[in-house]
mmCIF file of all heavy atoms in Angstrom:
data_model
loop_
_atom_site.group_PDB
_atom_site.id
_atom_site.type_symbol
_atom_site.label_atom_id
_atom_site.label_comp_id
_atom_site.label_asym_id
_atom_site.label_seq_id
_atom_site.Cartn_x
_atom_site.Cartn_y
_atom_site.Cartn_z
ATOM 1 N N SER A 45 -27.109 -20.443 2.366
ATOM 2 C CA SER A 45 -26.849 -19.691 3.573
ATOM 3 C C SER A 45 -26.500 -18.209 3.240
ATOM 4 O O SER A 45 -26.881 -17.235 4.040
ATOM 5 C CB SER A 45 -25.645 -20.294 4.426
ATOM 6 O OG SER A 45 -26.036 -21.571 4.827
ATOM 7 N N GLN A 46 -25.811 -18.033 2.208
ATOM 8 C CA GLN A 46 -25.432 -16.634 1.798
ATOM 9 C C GLN A 46 -26.657 -15.877 1.406
ATOM 10 O O GLN A 46 -26.768 -14.675 1.843
ATOM 11 C CB GLN A 46 -24.456 -16.750 0.609
ATOM 12 C CG GLN A 46 -23.080 -17.251 0.996
ATOM 13 C CD GLN A 46 -22.015 -17.062 -0.034
ATOM 14 O OE1 GLN A 46 -21.789 -15.908 -0.549
ATOM 15 N NE2 GLN A 46 -21.297 -18.088 -0.409
ATOM 16 N N ILE A 47 -27.565 -16.621 0.756
ATOM 17 C CA ILE A 47 -28.839 -15.861 0.360
ATOM 18 C C ILE A 47 -29.657 -15.495 1.634
ATOM 19 O O ILE A 47 -30.129 -14.416 1.852
ATOM 20 C CB ILE A 47 -29.639 -16.730 -0.607
ATOM 21 C CG1 ILE A 47 -28.944 -16.798 -1.884
ATOM 22 C CG2 ILE A 47 -31.030 -16.091 -0.880
ATOM 23 C CD1 ILE A 47 -29.492 -17.754 -2.918
ATOM 24 N N TYR A 48 -29.754 -16.533 2.514
ATOM 25 C CA TYR A 48 -30.562 -16.391 3.781
ATOM 26 C C TYR A 48 -30.011 -15.179 4.594
ATOM 27 O O TYR A 48 -30.777 -14.325 5.061
ATOM 28 C CB TYR A 48 -30.560 -17.615 4.689
ATOM 29 C CG TYR A 48 -31.378 -18.784 4.196
ATOM 30 C CD1 TYR A 48 -30.918 -20.081 4.310
ATOM 31 C CD2 TYR A 48 -32.652 -18.577 3.494
ATOM 32 C CE1 TYR A 48 -31.711 -21.206 3.949
ATOM 33 C CE2 TYR A 48 -33.368 -19.671 3.124
ATOM 34 C CZ TYR A 48 -32.925 -20.954 3.227
ATOM 35 O OH TYR A 48 -33.656 -22.067 2.773
ATOM 36 N N THR A 49 -28.707 -15.197 4.778
ATOM 37 C CA THR A 49 -28.147 -14.172 5.698
ATOM 38 C C THR A 49 -28.339 -12.826 4.963
ATOM 39 O O THR A 49 -28.564 -11.786 5.642
ATOM 40 C CB THR A 49 -26.648 -14.402 5.956
ATOM 41 O OG1 THR A 49 -25.912 -14.718 4.732
ATOM 42 C CG2 THR A 49 -26.464 -15.558 6.915
ATOM 43 N N ARG A 50 -28.169 -12.716 3.666
ATOM 44 C CA ARG A 50 -28.237 -11.434 2.997
ATOM 45 C C ARG A 50 -29.677 -10.946 3.178
ATOM 46 O O ARG A 50 -29.902 -9.763 3.426
ATOM 47 C CB ARG A 50 -27.873 -11.587 1.555
ATOM 48 C CG ARG A 50 -27.340 -10.350 0.948
ATOM 49 C CD ARG A 50 -26.833 -10.594 -0.532
ATOM 50 N NE ARG A 50 -26.066 -11.747 -0.789
ATOM 51 C CZ ARG A 50 -26.269 -12.618 -1.790
ATOM 52 N NH1 ARG A 50 -27.285 -12.497 -2.597
ATOM 53 N NH2 ARG A 50 -25.439 -13.607 -1.865
ATOM 54 N N ASN A 51 -30.695 -11.847 2.953
ATOM 55 C CA ASN A 51 -32.052 -11.502 3.066
ATOM 56 C C ASN A 51 -32.431 -10.996 4.522
ATOM 57 O O ASN A 51 -33.180 -10.016 4.727
ATOM 58 C CB ASN A 51 -33.019 -12.724 2.778
ATOM 59 C CG ASN A 51 -33.034 -12.950 1.312
ATOM 60 O OD1 ASN A 51 -32.611 -12.133 0.503
ATOM 61 N ND2 ASN A 51 -33.593 -14.137 0.982
ATOM 62 N N LYS A 52 -31.801 -11.695 5.566
ATOM 63 C CA LYS A 52 -32.063 -11.296 6.951
ATOM 64 C C LYS A 52 -31.511 -9.946 7.202
ATOM 65 O O LYS A 52 -32.147 -9.034 7.800
ATOM 66 C CB LYS A 52 -31.436 -12.369 7.860
ATOM 67 C CG LYS A 52 -32.249 -13.640 7.864
ATOM 68 C CD LYS A 52 -31.514 -14.863 8.632
ATOM 69 C CE LYS A 52 -32.132 -16.109 8.611
ATOM 70 N NZ LYS A 52 -31.374 -17.213 9.120
ATOM 71 N N LYS A 53 -30.355 -9.723 6.664
ATOM 72 C CA LYS A 53 -29.707 -8.366 6.836
ATOM 73 C C LYS A 53 -30.547 -7.221 6.197
ATOM 74 O O LYS A 53 -30.923 -6.240 6.814
ATOM 75 C CB LYS A 53 -28.325 -8.375 6.221
ATOM 76 C CG LYS A 53 -27.563 -7.053 6.300
ATOM 77 C CD LYS A 53 -26.095 -7.177 5.718
ATOM 78 C CE LYS A 53 -25.437 -5.783 5.393
ATOM 79 N NZ LYS A 53 -25.132 -4.984 6.509
ATOM 80 N N ARG A 54 -30.934 -7.487 4.962
ATOM 81 C CA ARG A 54 -31.838 -6.527 4.267
ATOM 82 C C ARG A 54 -33.016 -6.173 5.029
ATOM 83 O O ARG A 54 -33.473 -5.060 5.104
ATOM 84 C CB ARG A 54 -32.174 -7.001 2.825
ATOM 85 C CG ARG A 54 -32.283 -6.047 1.823
ATOM 86 C CD ARG A 54 -32.478 -6.625 0.425
ATOM 87 N NE ARG A 54 -31.334 -7.218 -0.154
ATOM 88 C CZ ARG A 54 -31.339 -8.339 -0.952
ATOM 89 N NH1 ARG A 54 -32.459 -8.941 -1.226
ATOM 90 N NH2 ARG A 54 -30.211 -8.815 -1.380
ATOM 91 N N TYR A 55 -33.665 -7.251 5.543
ATOM 92 C CA TYR A 55 -34.945 -7.165 6.301
ATOM 93 C C TYR A 55 -34.800 -6.354 7.568
ATOM 94 O O TYR A 55 -35.598 -5.438 7.757
ATOM 95 C CB TYR A 55 -35.344 -8.582 6.699
ATOM 96 C CG TYR A 55 -36.748 -8.716 7.077
ATOM 97 C CD1 TYR A 55 -37.718 -9.220 6.141
ATOM 98 C CD2 TYR A 55 -37.206 -8.559 8.369
ATOM 99 C CE1 TYR A 55 -38.978 -9.479 6.513
ATOM 100 C CE2 TYR A 55 -38.557 -8.689 8.716
ATOM 101 C CZ TYR A 55 -39.386 -9.109 7.803
ATOM 102 O OH TYR A 55 -40.696 -9.418 8.139
ATOM 103 N N ILE A 56 -33.747 -6.561 8.253
ATOM 104 C CA ILE A 56 -33.437 -5.790 9.522
ATOM 105 C C ILE A 56 -33.226 -4.461 9.174
ATOM 106 O O ILE A 56 -33.728 -3.478 9.904
ATOM 107 C CB ILE A 56 -32.244 -6.493 10.251
ATOM 108 C CG1 ILE A 56 -32.621 -7.997 10.712
ATOM 109 C CG2 ILE A 56 -31.846 -5.665 11.488
ATOM 110 C CD1 ILE A 56 -33.700 -8.076 11.725
ATOM 111 N N GLU A 57 -32.446 -4.086 8.201
ATOM 112 C CA GLU A 57 -32.086 -2.742 7.793
ATOM 113 C C GLU A 57 -33.301 -2.055 7.380
ATOM 114 O O GLU A 57 -33.455 -0.766 7.573
ATOM 115 C CB GLU A 57 -31.023 -2.790 6.789
ATOM 116 C CG GLU A 57 -29.702 -3.137 7.425
ATOM 117 C CD GLU A 57 -28.499 -3.315 6.474
ATOM 118 O OE1 GLU A 57 -28.815 -3.446 5.242
ATOM 119 O OE2 GLU A 57 -27.346 -3.402 6.934
ATOM 120 N N LYS A 58 -34.229 -2.664 6.689
ATOM 121 C CA LYS A 58 -35.473 -2.064 6.278
ATOM 122 C C LYS A 58 -36.330 -1.538 7.346
ATOM 123 O O LYS A 58 -37.076 -0.568 7.286
ATOM 124 C CB LYS A 58 -36.272 -3.100 5.452
ATOM 125 C CG LYS A 58 -37.359 -2.612 4.684
ATOM 126 C CD LYS A 58 -37.937 -3.790 3.697
ATOM 127 C CE LYS A 58 -39.320 -3.516 3.207
ATOM 128 N NZ LYS A 58 -39.807 -4.610 2.459
ATOM 129 N N LEU A 59 -36.183 -2.176 8.540
ATOM 130 C CA LEU A 59 -36.918 -1.741 9.689
ATOM 131 C C LEU A 59 -36.241 -0.480 10.399
ATOM 132 O O LEU A 59 -36.826 0.045 11.358
ATOM 133 C CB LEU A 59 -36.917 -2.904 10.699
ATOM 134 C CG LEU A 59 -37.636 -4.144 10.247
ATOM 135 C CD1 LEU A 59 -37.397 -5.277 11.216
ATOM 136 C CD2 LEU A 59 -39.131 -3.889 10.006
ATOM 137 N N GLY A 60 -34.996 -0.208 9.968
ATOM 138 C CA GLY A 60 -34.380 0.917 10.588
ATOM 139 C C GLY A 60 -33.322 0.446 11.592
ATOM 140 O O GLY A 60 -32.610 1.300 12.304
#
Side-chain angles (χ1 to χ4, degrees):
S45 292
Q46 293 191 50
I47 295 170
Y48 286 145
T49 49
R50 214 178 305 133
N51 287 347
K52 288 170 185 174
K53 176 177 165 68
R54 209 174 290 148
Y55 198 98
I56 295 296
E57 289 175 343
K58 194 167 160 185
L59 302 170

